[in-house]
Structures are given as C-alpha cells and as structure tokens.
Amino acid sequence: GPERLSYGELEVRANQLAHWLRRHGVKPDTRVAVGLERSVGLIVALLGILKAGGAYVALDPESPPARLAQLLAETGGPVRVTQASLAERMAGGDARVLCLDRDAAVLAGEPRSDPRVAVGPEHLAYVSYTSGSTGRPKGVEIPHRGVMRLVHEPGFATFTRADTMLQLAPVAFDASTLEIWGPLLNGGQLVVMPPGTPELETLGRTIRAEGITTLWLTAGLFHLMVEERLADLGGVRQLLAGGDVLAVPQVRKFLRAHPGCRLINGYGPTENTTFTCCHTISEADLAGGSVPIGRPIANTRVYVLDAALRPVPVGVPGELHTGGDGLARGYLDRPELTAEQFIPDPFTAGGRLYRTGDRVRWRADGTIEFLGRYDHQVKIRGYRIEPGETEAALLAEAGVKAAAVIVQDEGGTKRLVGYAVSEHSGETLRSRLQARLPDYLVPAVIVTLEALPLTPNGKLDRAALPAPVAT
C-alpha cells in the first residue's frame, strides 16, 4: 500500500538529511537542486533542505538534457538531491549527488535532533523557474515570508488540522507551494499523488478514497473534471482553481452540483508566491460573463495603474501591480531584469511592486476583473509561457529562416502553434524541439511556410497566419 508518514517520522528523516546537508556545505541561502519524482521522499527532501537553512530548486529530471544542465549550472551549490534512477541526469560539475534511496543507510546514521539553524523571513526558501521571452528561463527567488503569507491565515481559504490536501502539481510548478505547505504548516494531512500524470478516473478515485477536503486544480483540469468526473468532487470542502481564465459554463455546473463546496478562483504570478488575488465564486458573479479574480489576499497590496503609474478609476483598464509579503526577491542572477520588473512602490516608503503585465480593471463591487495580457505571455495547463521562448528555440534550429509561435484557443482549450520558414517538415522541427524544451513549451503542431505574412510596416502579421490543418 501507499507509504504513510507521521509528523514525527517526517521530522526525524528531515533532520537527518539536514545534518548531512550541513556537513556538506549547505547553510542559509545555499541553493540545492532537487530532482525527485512525487513521493513521500520528495517531501522529506524539501523539509530537510529548509531545516539545513538552504533553499530548494525543484527541477524536472525529465527535461531535455541541455536544458536541465543549464538550470543545474545556474543553480550551483555544493549538493544535489535525487534518487538512484535519476542520478545520471542530475550529475555534472563539482556538486555532490545524494540519492535518498541509495544512500538511505548513510542518512540513517545522522543525528535525529533538529539542527536548529537560524533562518529568518528574508532568507531564501525556494527558486521556481518560469518561461523567459529571450529563451532563457527565469529563476524566481521566493523568501520564507512569501510562503508564510500564502498559508498562514491568508484569508482566501482555511487550512486546519482537519484538512486533507492532495499534492498533484509538479514540484517545479509554484502551485505545489500551496499544496505542500498549506497542510503541513497547519497540522493537516498531505496526500502525495504517485508519479506521472494520472488519468481523470485515477485522480477522481484518489480524491474520493483519500477523503480530500482541499484541492487545487489548474483551470484546464478543473474544466475536464467538471465534464468527466463531477461526482468525484462531491466530498471536497474547498476547491481552488486557477492558472488561467475559468470558463463560466463549467463554474456554473460545478456550483449547482456541489453547493456545499467553496469554489475559489486563485490568481497570481510566481513572482508574488502563487496567489495575489482570490475570489470565492457565487452564481451572481457569472452574470457578467466572466469570473472575477477578486481581492488581494492577506498581507498583499495591489494597484491598477496607467503607464505613468497613476491609479485608474473604477471600470478603467490598467496594469495590475502588486507588493507585500509575498513578493519575490527578484530573478536569480538577473539584476537588470529584476530592476525592470520589480520597481519602487510610489505609494509605500521603501516598498517594491511587481509589474504583472496583466490588464485588469476594478469592478464597482471592489473586486478585480482580468482582461488579458499586455504582451503575448499566456498560461497553458497552469504553466506561464512566453511564446517567445519557443520562437527563440525554433530560430536556433539549423535551416529555420524565420519563425513565429501563437496561442490557439479552441473552446477554452489552449495550445501553442508554431510557424517556420524552413527546409524541414513541421514534424521534424517538432521532434527536435522535444529534445530541447519541456513538453508544455513544444507546439502541438508546427506549420511550415514559404514566408511569414507581414504588415505594411514590415512587422509580423499574426492575424494572417494560416490555421493549421486538422489531423
């Protein structure tokens, strides 16, 4: 059966790992790369790293080797934590590789006591990578205060000892911050989904069998579960959905089927620790045809500003800026980009704001309505994506003279579509990208053209790109 761990056992195993990490150079703010499948061992690793004072950098070991090597080199640090089956992928450079399974006997010999490392709210807790428009991923540095502000009396939901939460999101995705630390820092139960992407039936069966009371789903997965496994969500007390725009028909269907469940629309960039605004949805919210993203969560400031950083009136679109305890330090080793995106707060002495790039407006009821992006950044399956990163990868391929990547939305399902002027077929280019990029950045289809359509002033005419032929 599944592995079950009490809080006491979890702490002992994390303490032993922390002592080992301390002896091998990990101290406050030391980054430790983690390459592990979803498991109880993964939770032990994250807690052990934090107890040693370090910051975890969760990486996807299934990433293409070149990308994984790039992120490992950027992470640095004296140690990497993984498992025997993934050790080769996590190796390289001077870092020592620790395998939790293979080296279990070594860890068992470490002290069981808490190492009691002094760590404050400004110390680094983790680094989460997001897509970058230049082709280089951005490592977002999140301090401990950001995690505490997300799960300690945050206002948008309740986390108690009576709650059971499912850990489903990839740990490299910042939704895992809520899933893992929401229950563990409040005495609840955490159920870790087995590795891999589960079938909807398996997911629904797990939700029922384990008595999940608090659940996070990406918007896309929420829509699928409502259409295919609606009854499986009947025992959930709080369901948080987000990462993209929620569709009104599915929201209405869920609310009518499960009126006793609190459905929460969660919005926020990685740079502000998972959530910035949240909204408990009611039927009345759906009259306007969209679901509001709500109000800022506890210890969070938001402003809707024009291009001159002036607040705009109710109903007038502007860019959402956010600050408060959830704000990231910035981007790992990217001072210029940090200075561009994290600006001085003109309304709070000594404060900072993050420019989200999201176009929003205040509604008359005091909630915020999401209107879209100011750039081409999108979210697909919960992952924030810069199509420019995929474009850069396409242009780097031999034989590609020009490239463009757009987002196609068919009935609420989004996918990337690539266009290339190339001597190679679209399938050939797609297979090459699969060797270099994570799955969510690879276009569902690549169309080859003799030339990209241009506007009269010579810019790419995205509206004139032909629709891909269905296959």
Side-chain angles (χ1 to χ4, degrees):
E3 184 177 3
R4 298 187 181 275
L5 213 60
S6 70
Y7 270 80
E9 293 167 322
L10 171 62
E11 183 169 23
V12 166
R13 287 174 57 175
N15 286 345
Q16 290 173 321
L17 174 58
H19 281 289
W20 188 93
L21 292 170
R22 292 280 293 169
R23 290 196 300 103
H24 291 85
V26 175
K27 55 187 178 181
D29 276 0
T30 300
R31 298 186 296 271
V32 179
V34 177
L36 286 163
E37 294 177 333
R38 259 194 325 261
S39 62
V40 168
L42 170 64
I43 309 304
V44 171
L46 302 186
L47 184 57
I49 291 167
L50 295 178
K51 278 177 166 286
Y56 62 87
V57 185
L59 303 177
D60 180 5
E62 300 298 329
S63 295
R67 184 184 182 91
L68 185 57
Q70 175 191 357
L71 298 184
L72 286 170
E74 188 167 306
T75 299
V79 177
R80 296 168 188 167
V81 179
T82 185
Q83 60 198 58
S85 61
L86 302 173
E88 286 190 19
R89 301 179 194 179
M90 295 291 291
D94 299 327
R96 181 188 293 265
V97 176
L98 174 73
C99 296
L100 293 186
D101 46 3
R102 187 183 63 198
D103 300 323
V106 174
L107 294 174
E110 293 290 340
R112 298 161 61 91
S113 59
D114 194 310
R116 300 197 179 280
V117 179
V119 174
E122 299 304 321
H123 281 110
L124 195 61
Y126 68 87
V127 175
S128 182
Y129 277 95
T130 67
S131 178
S133 59
T134 63
R136 178 183 172 187
K138 299 177 290 191
V140 182
E141 300 177 297
I142 300 295
H144 284 269
R145 60 169 159 74
V147 180
M148 289 303 298
R149 158 268 197 190
L150 178 69
V151 302
H152 181 65
E153 300 180 358
F156 63 86
T158 58
F159 301 100
T160 71
R161 296 178 64 179
D163 283 307
T164 298
M165 192 160 189
L166 185 67
Q167 205 278 290
L168 174 64
V171 74
F173 179 29
D174 73 330
S176 64
T177 307
L178 177 78
E179 292 178 333
I180 294 170
W181 305 114
L184 292 188
L185 292 180
N186 291 284
Q189 184 181 55
L190 177 64
V191 175
V192 182
M193 198 74 187
T197 303
E199 299 289 337
L200 290 182
E201 180 182 357
T202 303
L203 175 57
R205 188 168 59 246
T206 301
I207 291 169
R208 281 188 166 192
E210 298 294 342
I212 301 300
T213 63
T214 302
L215 180 66
W216 152 262
L217 296 174
T218 63
L221 188 51
F222 169 75
H223 297 153
L224 286 172
M225 288 294 289
V226 168
E227 293 301 324
E228 304 289 337
R229 311 293 304 184
L230 181 59
D232 292 332
L233 302 173
V236 178
R237 183 175 66 85
Q238 300 175 122
L239 197 158
L240 301 106
D244 207 339
V245 177
L246 294 179
V248 168
Q250 280 79 17
V251 169
R252 181 176 286 115
K253 185 175 181 178
F254 177 85
L255 290 175
R256 291 178 177 177
H258 302 305
C261 178
R262 183 181 185 186
L263 179 61
I264 302 163
N265 186 16
Y267 157 87
T270 302
E271 288 84 349
N272 203 36
T273 316
T274 309
F275 285 159
T276 293
C277 295
C278 285
H279 183 72
T280 298
I281 307 170
S282 68
E283 283 259 10
D285 293 315
L286 309 182
S290 66
V291 180
I293 60 175
R295 296 176 171 85
I297 70 171
N299 301 305
T300 301
R301 301 190 304 277
V302 297
Y303 303 97
V304 182
L305 307 177
D306 63 17
L309 300 182
R310 296 172 300 198
V312 299
V314 172
V316 176
E319 182 179 0
L320 183 64
H321 291 66
T322 182
D325 286 352
L327 210 59
R329 285 184 180 179
Y331 298 112
L332 178 62
D333 297 333
R334 306 283 292 275
E336 292 182 359
L337 184 61
T338 298
E340 178 184 327
Q341 296 297 119
F342 294 83
I343 63 173
D345 183 346
F347 312 105
T348 305
R352 293 187 308 148
L353 294 179
Y354 170 68
R355 304 171 56 179
T356 67
D358 288 330
R359 189 167 174 266
V360 303
R361 65 184 172 197
W362 287 107
R363 302 192 342 169
D365 62 2
T367 62
I368 295 175
E369 181 180 2
F370 179 81
L371 302 174
R373 290 288 301 171
Y374 276 100
D375 55 19
H376 299 298
Q377 190 182 86
V378 294
K379 281 193 175 181
I380 297 180
R381 303 201 307 274
Y383 290 94
R384 197 177 77 196
I385 289 172
E386 296 265 13
E389 181 169 3
T390 304
E391 287 183 6
L394 260 179
L395 289 168
E397 290 292 338
V400 174
K401 299 176 182 177
V405 175
I406 65 170
V407 177
Q408 187 180 57
D409 191 335
E410 293 183 345
T413 300
K414 295 180 181 179
R415 65 174 187 166
L416 291 179
V417 176
Y419 297 86
V421 178
S422 173
E423 59 197 36
H424 304 295
S425 69
E427 277 304 306
T428 297
L429 293 173
R430 190 171 181 277
S431 64
R432 289 183 179 180
L433 289 187
Q434 285 176 319
R436 298 176 52 201
L437 297 175
D439 175 67
Y440 59 86
L441 283 177
V442 177
V445 62
I446 296 178
V447 180
T448 53
L449 304 171
E450 291 187 4
L452 295 182
L454 302 177
T455 63
N457 63 2
K459 293 184 177 181
L460 174 67
D461 187 353
R462 293 180 180 271
L465 289 168
V469 178
T471 61

